[in-house]
């Protein structure tokens, strides 16, 4: 008489599996494959990190912060920082960039004192230190991590031309020059390293720009080169 299917003896595969399950080394191998191998793979087969290009050096400058104190490159030496153009009475487009900057401030907090944000006004006649101070007091801005700068137009314009790659404006006679920075350049944020070298320009109209900027800033902070 044939044995009903439900009463058949276990297959050889199941028998061997049961024997293996009783061996301590089997579980050691299992744990390694389940947890150790992914870590080992991540350690030994890491994709190469992108190289952040080194461009022009930031020129020397002397501006004023919101307290009316002198502010120049020495205040930022040894730190990675980003610069962007702003003004307290600019159109709504600049308000959107300001939102991005606040997001960057929040997300970059893990970089600590190695990272700074610098906002430079393109409307120095209106944005006096007192106006900038009032702006800071009415917005979620870290005074330890974020600086707002102003000065005379003669001081601000050359720095803007250098930072935001606007040398096409440099030859325009001063008596017919328009805004210090064209509106489309107001969307740009510049990444600068510890040695005052420009390491990239990021356009905030790109929806991936903030993520990319923070990733590059983290690389520059950690590489120290």
């Amino acid at each position: 008489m044939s044995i009903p299917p439900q009463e058949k003896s276990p297959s050889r595969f199941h028998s061997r599996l049961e024997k293996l399950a009783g061996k301590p080394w089997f579980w050691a191998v299992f744990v390694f494959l389940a947890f150790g191998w992914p870590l080992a793979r991540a350690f030994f087969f890491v994709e190469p990190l992108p190289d952040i290009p080194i461009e022009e050096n930031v020129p020397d400058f002397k501006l004023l912060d919101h307290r009316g104190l002198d502010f120049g490159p020495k205040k930022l030496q040894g730190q990675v920082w980003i610069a962007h153009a702003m003004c307290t009475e600019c159109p709504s487009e600049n308000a959107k960039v300001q939102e991005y900057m606040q997001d960057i401030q929040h997300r970059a907090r893990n970089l600590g004192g190695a990272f700074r944000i610098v906002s430079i006004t393109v409307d120095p006649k209106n944005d006096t230190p007192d106006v900038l101070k009032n702006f800071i007091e009415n917005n979620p801005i870290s005074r330890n991590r974020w600086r707002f700068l102003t000065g005379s137009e003669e001081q601000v314009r050359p720095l803007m031309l250098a930072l935001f790659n606007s040398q096409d404006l440099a030859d325009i006679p001063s008596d017919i020059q328009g805004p210090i920075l064209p509106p489309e350049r107001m969307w740009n944020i510049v990444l600068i390293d510890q040695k005052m070298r420009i390491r990239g320009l990021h356009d905030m109209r790109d929806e991936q720009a903030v993520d990319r900027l923070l990733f590059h800033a983290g690389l520059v902070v950690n590489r120290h080169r």
Side-chain angles (χ1 to χ4, degrees):
M1 177 181 293
S2 62
I3 301 174
Q6 66 272 21
E7 297 179 7
K8 287 183 177 179
S9 59
S11 65
R12 290 184 178 180
F13 172 78
H14 287 91
S15 297
R16 290 178 179 177
L17 187 60
E18 288 177 357
K19 290 180 180 180
L20 288 174
K23 305 289 185 181
W25 62 264
F26 171 80
W27 291 106
V29 172
F30 176 81
V31 170
F32 171 77
L33 292 175
F35 301 102
W37 172 245
L39 294 175
R41 183 178 182 276
F43 182 81
F44 290 106
F45 301 97
V46 176
E47 293 183 4
L49 294 174
D51 186 38
I52 313 301
I54 298 174
E55 301 175 15
E56 301 295 327
N57 288 344
V58 175
D60 191 24
F61 63 90
K62 184 178 180 180
L63 299 175
L64 298 175
D65 66 13
H66 68 280
R67 300 166 296 179
L69 301 177
D70 289 341
F71 194 98
K74 289 184 179 179
K75 299 285 188 178
L76 297 163
Q77 196 74 37
Q79 299 172 332
V80 173
W81 55 289
I82 58 173
H84 89 111
M86 58 78 63
C87 69
T88 58
E89 295 187 359
C90 282
S92 58
E93 288 83 358
N94 189 249
K96 185 63 178 177
V97 177
Q98 197 67 28
E99 291 180 14
Y100 291 137
M101 299 301 293
Q102 291 172 4
D103 183 37
I104 292 169
Q105 173 189 231
H106 175 71
R107 294 172 57 185
R109 63 191 185 281
N110 62 310
L111 296 177
F115 180 78
R116 291 289 183 269
I117 300 173
V118 176
S119 296
I120 309 166
T121 181
V122 294
D123 185 15
K125 291 181 180 179
N126 175 70
D127 289 336
T128 63
D130 286 340
V131 171
L132 293 179
K133 181 179 179 181
N134 183 66
F135 181 82
I136 291 171
E137 291 174 348
N138 288 280
N139 287 278
I141 291 168
S142 168
R143 300 188 186 189
N144 294 327
R145 194 176 305 158
W146 196 341
R147 290 289 184 270
F148 284 74
L149 306 181
T150 187
S152 68
E153 185 167 335
E154 290 73 23
Q155 292 172 314
V156 172
R157 185 181 293 273
L159 179 59
M160 290 295 194
L161 296 181
L163 287 176
F164 296 96
N165 194 26
S166 298
Q167 291 302 321
D168 51 314
L169 306 177
D171 296 329
I172 300 176
S174 59
D175 59 336
I176 62 172
Q177 285 181 344
I180 289 179
L181 205 64
E184 64 272 12
R185 304 288 171 86
M186 298 283 285
W187 289 96
N188 292 339
I189 296 179
V190 184
L191 176 65
I192 300 106
D193 70 13
Q194 300 92 335
K195 297 181 180 179
M196 294 294 137
R197 302 175 298 186
I198 294 175
R199 305 300 294 269
L201 186 147
H202 299 262
D203 190 334
M204 292 298 103
R205 290 171 293 187
D206 179 352
E207 62 182 13
Q208 301 297 324
V210 171
D211 291 341
R212 188 180 304 113
L213 171 62
L214 289 169
F215 179 53
H216 287 188
L219 291 179
V220 176
V221 165
N222 289 301
R223 285 178 176 176
H224 291 288
R225 70 174 182 82

